[in-house]
Amino acid sequence: MTTTFVRPRWFAGLVRPKWFLGAVFAACVMLIAAQQPAHAASWGAPQTVNSWNVISGRWTANNELETYTPDCVWYDGGTLMIKTYSAGGGVYYSGRVESKALYGYGTYSFTANMPNGQGLLPAVWAAYLNPWLPEFDAAEIVGSRPNTVYQTFHDTSNAQTQWAVNNSAGWTNSFHVYAFSWWPDHIDFWVDGAFQGTKWYTTAPGVGMHFIVNTAVGGDWPGNPDSSTWATADGARYLKVSAITYTPYYP
């Protein structure tokens, strides 16, 4: 499984070293890339997340149109597959899974191949669920805008902090690593190992996160699908996640 290692947040604040410290600096970079970041003794072993509650039923949040069904969720080898398609007459089927376990501080990493398509909103993310918030979105892609991936933090009042990461080659239909690291006082967001931003935030005691993977259809943000959405060889779109990994951090 692929694990995204997170550089310590103090790393980004370092002043550029003098020339005579270049060798030391290079060695530090190699060390950071090779193992867990600062406080390595407080990191646990990476865990593969593959125990899911598979959601079934019509979903109406955000004016979405999909009906989730277990028939749209399966594993192809080690890859989690989420199928989304139109059954006609305004009926759309898709898949959604939520981890059975709650997870705490640490790095949440998804190696995902997202679909494009008008009216689709594939996502890999995490939320408390009971109650719903807070929510940390490792990646959401509006299907009609495949060159932008969004990473979003939602607090308990649903106030949001969001980063939009652009890629002229597009994010969809190829695998990328989307991750965040949840620390006791902040959350760091990453795409393909590149740091995107920090949200300073402290959750209430006892809060944990469920890993979530799904593709929504329609709704307030992506808009409704049209005939172009299903113009594929088999009339369906697929979200594929080849690695879902949790690396715990113990403060």
Side-chain angles (χ1 to χ4, degrees), residues 7-42:
R7 292 176 293 179
R9 58 189 176 87
W10 49 260
F11 181 86
L14 287 176
V15 176
R16 181 176 296 180
K18 302 295 185 182
W19 66 268
F20 54 84
L21 290 179
V24 174
F25 179 76
C28 289
V29 171
M30 291 178 64
L31 181 62
I32 290 168
Q35 57 182 298
Q36 287 287 0
H39 318 298
S42 296

Side-chain angles (χ1 to χ4, degrees), residues 48-59:
T48 297
V49 179
N50 57 14
S51 180
W52 306 104
N53 291 317
V54 181
I55 304 305
S56 180
R58 177 76 171 85
W59 200 269

Side-chain angles (χ1 to χ4, degrees), residues 2-166:
T2 301
T3 302
T4 299
F5 296 120
V6 179
R7 292 176 293 179
R9 58 189 176 87
W10 49 260
F11 181 86
L14 287 176
V15 176
R16 181 176 296 180
K18 302 295 185 182
W19 66 268
F20 54 84
L21 290 179
V24 174
F25 179 76
C28 289
V29 171
M30 291 178 64
L31 181 62
I32 290 168
Q35 57 182 298
Q36 287 287 0
H39 318 298
S42 296
W43 287 87
Q47 306 170 15
T48 297
V49 179
N50 57 14
S51 180
W52 306 104
N53 291 317
V54 181
I55 304 305
S56 180
R58 177 76 171 85
W59 200 269
T60 58
N62 307 310
N63 295 310
E64 294 170 20
L65 303 175
E66 74 276 3
T67 296
Y68 289 123
T69 172
D71 292 342
C72 285
V73 179
W74 69 91
Y75 273 92
D76 181 0
T79 298
L80 176 66
M81 305 289 291
I82 301 289
K83 179 180 180 179
T84 305
Y85 69 99
S86 171
V91 177
Y92 305 96
Y93 288 106
S94 190
R96 176 186 173 110
V97 296
E98 302 169 354
S99 67
K100 291 183 178 180
L102 277 170
Y103 298 85
Y105 301 131
T107 295
Y108 294 59
S109 178
F110 304 81
T111 303
N113 182 330
M114 304 278 228
N116 63 301
Q118 169 62 38
L120 299 185
L121 187 68
V124 290
W125 51 298
Y128 188 24
L129 293 183
N130 189 26
W132 186 281
L133 299 168
E135 174 185 325
F136 308 152
D137 300 319
E140 295 175 287
I141 292 180
V142 176
S144 60
R145 303 198 293 271
N147 290 355
T148 304
V149 63
Y150 297 93
Q151 297 186 298
T152 311
F153 164 81
H154 303 248
D155 70 12
T156 54
S157 299
N158 205 27
Q160 301 176 26
T161 302
Q162 187 174 80
W163 293 267
V165 188
N166 294 313

Side-chain angles (χ1 to χ4, degrees), residues 227-238:
S227 59
S228 70
T229 308
W230 318 112
T232 64
D234 66 351
R237 301 282 181 166
Y238 296 88

